[in-house]
Amino acid sequence: MNEIIRKRKSIRKYDFAPLDEAVLDAVRAEIARVKPLNPDIKYSIEITSKTKGILGVKAPHFLIFSSEEKDGALENIGFIGQQLDLYFSANGLGSCWLGASKPGEAMESKLPYVIALAFGKPAQPLHRELSEFKRKPLSQISEGNDPRLEAARLAPSGVNMQNWHFIAEDGKIHCYLNKPNPVMGLMLGKMGLIDLGIAISHIAADSYNFNFTKEPNAPIRKGLIYKGTVSTGN
């Protein structure tokens, strides 16, 4: 498992001094290197210093994710964004997903806004011990045996819901969302799909050499919505 996954945490307190331009250039270079879950979906990532929203986190910088609206787009954004979240954690910077914030200024992209990620120098400890994670046991979110399931278990999610399920089978991991009741569906909104993409990013984090496809013979489970299968790339 990627060692950063075992100690990353969401950072909500920041040093408000802007990062050096060289650091921001490195972030831009990393943005250009991220791998999408679905390469056929158009998206954009922009850096801003302003967001708005009653539940926002104050930080010196934010990534603004936008995407065309099509099947798989939200999972794709979660998958891409979590690569950057792990990059920040590995390079001395903090970050935090902001599901209730919006850009605070006009952005260049004409694609619909999806979500933001705060980042900057942390004003609190950057990492945590594995024992400090508050997560469901594997038995509640998965079936089968695969070391990548633990990486998925440690992924962040909106209000820590972990509204996903994984089935490990023959070297593959089938990925599902729990069917929400009407109340939870309203609460979670688009976040459930973004969260699933975040968890899939943890599954693929060791190499990002993978395929993500819909398999006609994927297991069917009552109460679960099948979204796709991770298999080793060629």
Side-chain angles (χ1 to χ4, degrees):
M1 186 198 308
N2 185 314
E3 286 302 310
I4 294 300
I5 289 173
R6 298 172 62 90
K7 60 183 181 181
R8 69 148 299 281
K9 70 175 182 179
S10 297
I11 300 299
R12 294 177 173 83
K13 295 180 180 180
Y14 293 88
D15 177 339
F16 295 122
L19 296 173
D20 293 342
E21 196 60 33
V23 176
L24 292 175
D25 283 343
V27 172
R28 295 183 185 100
E30 190 65 21
I31 289 171
R33 283 193 290 266
V34 294
K35 295 185 178 180
L37 189 61
N38 186 331
D40 296 324
I41 298 176
K42 295 178 182 178
Y43 70 91
S44 69
I45 306 172
E46 299 176 78
I47 299 175
T48 183
S49 60
K50 297 178 182 179
T51 60
K52 57 185 179 181
I54 59 174
L55 299 177
V57 169
K58 294 181 179 180
H61 305 284
F62 304 87
L63 297 183
I64 300 298
F65 296 88
S66 303
S67 173
E68 63 176 323
E69 297 173 329
K70 61 192 299 186
D71 184 46
L74 296 178
E75 299 97 303
N76 194 53
I77 289 298
F79 185 86
I80 291 165
Q82 191 58 18
Q83 292 172 58
L84 295 167
D85 181 50
L86 294 175
Y87 166 81
F88 290 135
S89 188
N91 288 275
L93 299 175
S95 56
C96 180
W97 286 99
L98 303 178
S101 294
K102 295 183 178 180
E105 60 186 357
M107 307 306 295
E108 291 185 9
S109 176
K110 301 304 180 183
L111 295 171
Y113 167 75
V114 177
I115 197 168
L117 185 75
F119 72 99
K121 294 179 181 178
Q124 65 180 97
L126 178 59
H127 295 134
R128 57 182 158 181
E129 298 296 326
L130 189 59
S131 61
E132 296 178 83
F133 280 83
K134 296 179 180 180
R135 297 290 191 269
K136 296 175 182 177
L138 275 177
S139 60
Q140 290 187 19
I141 65 164
S142 66
E143 303 170 34
N145 295 305
D146 190 301
R148 293 172 295 175
L149 294 177
E150 175 66 5
R153 189 183 76 87
L154 297 177
S157 59
V159 294
N160 220 19
M161 285 294 296
Q162 295 181 268
N163 196 41
W164 48 55
H165 195 85
F166 304 98
I167 299 177
E169 181 182 63
D170 300 328
K172 300 177 180 180
I173 297 180
H174 307 292
C175 305
Y176 305 78
L177 279 180
N178 295 315
K179 287 184 179 178
N181 60 47
V183 174
M184 291 309 300
L186 288 174
M187 285 181 59
L188 292 173
K190 66 185 181 183
M191 282 306 303
L193 291 168
I194 294 173
D195 289 345
L196 181 62
I198 290 171
I200 295 171
S201 190
H202 277 207
I203 290 171
D206 280 337
S207 70
Y208 289 104
N209 179 26
F210 69 98
N211 296 311
F212 185 71
T213 56
K214 293 286 184 70
E215 293 203 350
N217 297 319
I220 297 174
R221 295 290 188 272
K222 184 178 180 180
L224 298 178
I225 304 169
Y226 173 64
K227 302 303 295 183
T229 297
V230 176
S231 58
T232 302
N234 296 321

